[in-house]
DNA sequence: GTGAAAGCGCTAACAG
DNA sequence: CTGTTAGCGCTTTCAC
């Protein structure tokens, strides 16, 4: 704990260096167009006084904040402990750091917080927002859009209306799911079950769709709803085993779910992969590598998703600042639209 | 992605409502001392224009930001994925929300980021800082203190000098460790081993000290260094088993470490708790309850730690604003000093 | 090149 | 009660 102290202002530095505020400002912001000796004097004064620009004052005139908000809707309370977010945040954080932008984390625990978040975004603290809206009926996307600032979503948002042309970064959930199921088919499995994620999330729906793409006219009893947690995976696995004792493969909507399923399979004496092959989704190392047997899974580069989100957002922010400047070389990846990253199948022992 | 738009200002609202800016300001900030009909008019104008106060402008004059920074030193790259932080952050977030304060997360990946963080803190974006400084030689604490703002540390900081009278919130690591080891002794175990955490972190050192408090003159071969990860736990367990095949209990510095140790014990055919009793630290539910056998552990209320940190910080911030006001009832817990939370032993099956 | 001056949008005395 | 008036600390024309 340290006591407060009046910070030196531009004015003070100017006085000390014997120049005008304008000159100090120039030096502080790069120092072009100021003669060397003066630059030197100012630099020294800044140093001696320990001057640091007041960002509030600066933002007031520049309208830039060099900060972006990351909004995470967390009605389920478990979101934060999820390594998935941790990884995305790492990616985001790295990219923002690269561009000298700050990450402001906005956690919303429910409706009550929405107002606060709305106020914050509208309050002009940040240049843009990265939004993770998990649930189909989440009011957050609309809210953010109303704040009228550059926004990029993490994962395809549930089209709640105003977000139709939202920019988002997502994995190819559907394609990845297809690949997983095809792999199981290639192993000769025919009774392939699927434990879904919570079906109010697009990622879960997309994976289910991918499963169905391959398993046309699948026996509906081979599909059980999970919730992306190990516990949910256990429950669903028990249900499936009950309903379809003859199943010979399981595609779990994520690795956590798969780990739960594995536990139940083992407990019930089914050998994996001999009796039942299992595939997960995510390739969350601490999970996928530690299961017994190790988990074959669909890998998505989560950290890269985060990085990409940040990159897209910053581009949008810059563009906005620059106005409709058309002299940027329209190279590959220069268009500002959603990105869907490919997935890859990682073979380990479970399938 | 949404286009930018010029936000309405106080001025605009005032014009529309036919009052002065001051009146609008009053209404927006609570509306005391403004007659009802005017309040109504202003409210309507605010509504119609979708006015939201510009925080930069506000902060410029009030010197308040209603935001606090959470600084996490992350040289180890794994920190964020650690549920420990997730939980603390949840606690912090909840408490801040309660006080309408924003959480600004500052992740530092290494020296390179320190400058940026320093600038940010000094830049006057936030009212105070919550700092997690894990390593003994971390320059972060000093840096933050130099920013001269109210600060509360998460965990006892490694006394790097300027932080001697830092305010921090910590668990009673040493006491908890003592209780764990005493419990093992009570079970009749005499060859109790300890897998430490990384010894450049105070929490790890404190737990080791607690272990030593009880195991006076312990055989040094019964102590192996881990790193708070399952992998580290495995490695250390193998070493211990090699060095002291006769050990009959293990106190692991945290649950993750314990889970690794359990795996090795099982793999080497030792029954837990019959042959070797195991105790962890943290009581991280997803870990402690899922191990086989379930883990006896020292529980610390991590989320509460977070909440407490936030509460202490906000109190300091208010105090600063209020100046040395001495009319607050000096009730219990009103003093602004460090807090060490008690731990409790949670008995499950492993010891 | 450098300085003077005019705000950015808001709050906080101070009058009335 | 309400309006007027100063700034908060900084950037940015615009002259010199």
């Amino acid at each position: 704990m340290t006591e407060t102290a009046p910070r030196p202002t531009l004015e003070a530095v100017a006085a000390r260096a014997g120049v005008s505020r304008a000159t100090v400002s120039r030096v502080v912001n790069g120092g072009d167009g100021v003669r060397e000796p003066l630059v030197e004097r100012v630099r020294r004064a800044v140093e001696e006084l320990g001057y640091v620009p007041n960002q509030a004052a600066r933002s007031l005139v520049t309208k830039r904040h060099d900060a972006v908000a990351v909004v995470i809707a967390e009605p389920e309370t478990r979101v934060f402990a999820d390594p998935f977010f941790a990884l995305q945040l790492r990616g985001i954080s790295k990219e923002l750091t690269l561009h000298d932008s700050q990450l402001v984390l906005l956690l919303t625990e429910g409706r009550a917080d929405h107002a606060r978040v709305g106020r914050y975004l509208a309050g002009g603290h940040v240049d843009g927002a990265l939004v993770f809206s998990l649930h189909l009926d989440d009011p957050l996307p609309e809210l953010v859009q109303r704040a009228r600032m550059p926004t990029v979503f993490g994962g395809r948002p549930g089209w709640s209306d105003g977000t139709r042309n939202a920019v988002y970064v997502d994995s190819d959930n559907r394609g990845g799911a297809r690949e997983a199921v095809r792999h199981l088919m290639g192993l000769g499995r025919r009774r392939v079950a699927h434990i879904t994620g919570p079906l109010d999330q697009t990622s879960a729906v997309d994976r289910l769709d991918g499963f169905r793409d391959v398993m046309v006219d699948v026996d509906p009893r081979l599909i059980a709803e999970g919730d992306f947690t190990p516990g949910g995976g256990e429950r669903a696995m028990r249900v499936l085993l009950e309903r379809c004792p003859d199943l010979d493969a399981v595609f779990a909507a994520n690795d956590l779910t798969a780990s739960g399923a594995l536990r139940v399979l083992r407990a019930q004496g089914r050998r994996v992969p001999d009796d039942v092959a299992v595939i997960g989704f995510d390739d969350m190392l601490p999970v996928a590598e530690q299961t017994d047997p190790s988990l074959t899974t669909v890998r998505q580069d989560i950290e890269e998703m985060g990085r990409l989100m940040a990159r897209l957002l910053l581009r949008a922010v810059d563009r906005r600042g620059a106005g409709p400047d058309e002299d940027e070389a329209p190279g590959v990846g220069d268009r500002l639209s959603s990105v869907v990253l490919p997935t890859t199948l990682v073979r380990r022992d479970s399938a």
Side-chain angles (χ1 to χ4, degrees), chain A:
Chain A
M1 186 78 31
T2 319
E3 285 319 307
T4 187
R7 275 190 218 303
T9 71
L10 245 204
E11 185 84 53
V13 178
R16 177 155 196 130
V19 298
S20 73
R21 279 155 41 194
T23 299
V24 177
S25 176
R26 288 181 189 114
V27 172
V28 169
N29 295 293
D32 346 292
V34 180
R35 245 189 284 268
E36 193 45 45
L38 272 203
V39 172
E40 203 41 54
R41 285 231 305 276
V42 172
R43 287 251 163 79
R44 189 163 25 250
V46 165
E47 191 69 23
E48 289 166 357
L49 266 40
Y51 168 77
V52 180
N54 177 324
Q55 297 300 332
R58 188 202 290 258
S59 297
L60 191 52
V61 32
T62 61
K63 270 107 172 55
R64 277 278 294 205
H65 307 272
D66 295 313
V68 320
V70 171
V71 187
I72 303 186
E74 187 185 16
E76 304 299 291
T77 165
R78 73 160 218 304
V79 168
F80 208 147
D82 193 330
F84 187 85
F85 280 93
L87 281 172
Q88 294 227 49
L89 278 175
R90 280 183 56 75
I92 291 170
S93 175
K94 280 186 180 164
E95 187 69 23
L96 291 181
T97 296
L98 233 49
H99 295 262
D100 255 309
S101 217
Q102 263 312 317
L103 187 166
V104 178
L105 192 66
L106 269 37
L107 262 18
T108 76
E109 298 262 6
R111 314 257 141 175
D113 295 348
H114 285 356
R116 181 175 51 90
V117 169
R119 239 182 301 134
Y120 190 84
L121 292 180
H125 288 272
V126 293
D127 299 320
L130 259 19
V131 179
F132 294 89
S133 157
L134 300 160
H135 302 272
L136 285 174
D137 60 345
D138 196 320
L140 210 60
E142 292 251 24
L143 194 150
V144 172
Q145 301 248 325
R146 248 185 290 130
R148 319 196 107 258
M149 57 168 53
T151 304
V152 173
F153 288 87
R156 182 165 65 77
W159 308 116
S160 57
D161 269 5
T163 55
R164 274 229 166 49
N165 39 23
V167 173
Y168 62 86
V169 173
D170 204 352
S171 276
D172 183 8
N173 290 305
R174 189 162 183 165
R178 276 199 293 255
E179 191 177 357
V181 180
R182 278 206 204 97
H183 175 69
L184 291 171
M185 301 288 280
L187 259 31
R189 311 296 166 134
R190 287 302 171 264
R191 295 287 284 169
V192 181
H194 178 39
I195 304 177
T196 73
L199 292 176
D200 62 337
Q201 300 188 21
T202 57
S203 59
V205 172
D206 291 350
R207 288 170 201 179
L208 172 56
D209 286 346
F211 172 79
R212 283 211 157 103
D213 287 344
V214 181
M215 301 285 290
V216 192
D217 292 327
V218 64
D219 179 348
R221 292 173 311 157
L222 280 171
I223 298 176
E225 186 163 348
D227 57 4
F228 281 159
T229 72
E234 290 184 1
R235 279 188 294 279
M237 193 67 244
R238 275 193 215 99
V239 170
L240 287 171
L241 248 16
E242 174 97 0
R243 288 202 299 226
C244 310
D246 62 330
L247 60 81
D248 57 10
V250 178
F251 166 49
N254 74 349
D255 290 350
L256 258 22
T257 299
S259 76
L262 283 176
R263 264 204 297 270
V264 170
L265 286 169
R266 182 167 27 166
Q268 305 213 1
R270 309 282 186 127
R271 289 166 309 162
V272 177
D274 312 76
D275 301 334
V276 181
V278 175
I279 288 194
F281 205 112
D282 278 352
D283 193 32
M284 224 158 254
L285 261 13
V287 180
E289 287 187 333
Q290 303 283 355
T291 56
D292 178 25
S294 65
L295 197 61
T296 292
T297 190
V298 179
R299 167 168 234 284
Q300 48 177 341
D301 191 340
I302 303 172
E303 190 170 326
E304 175 62 20
M305 288 176 67
R307 244 197 304 269
L308 201 49
M309 286 179 67
R311 210 173 301 146
L312 285 178
L313 182 63
L314 291 175
R315 198 174 293 164
V317 170
D318 284 347
R319 184 158 311 187
R320 193 193 60 162
D325 247 38
E326 218 43 77
D327 50 42
E328 285 178 18
V332 176
D334 233 359
R335 276 278 297 122
L336 202 64
S337 56
S338 297
V339 177
V340 175
L341 293 172
T343 59
T344 53
L345 190 68
V346 177
R347 284 213 58 181
R348 293 204 184 83
D349 299 328
S350 70

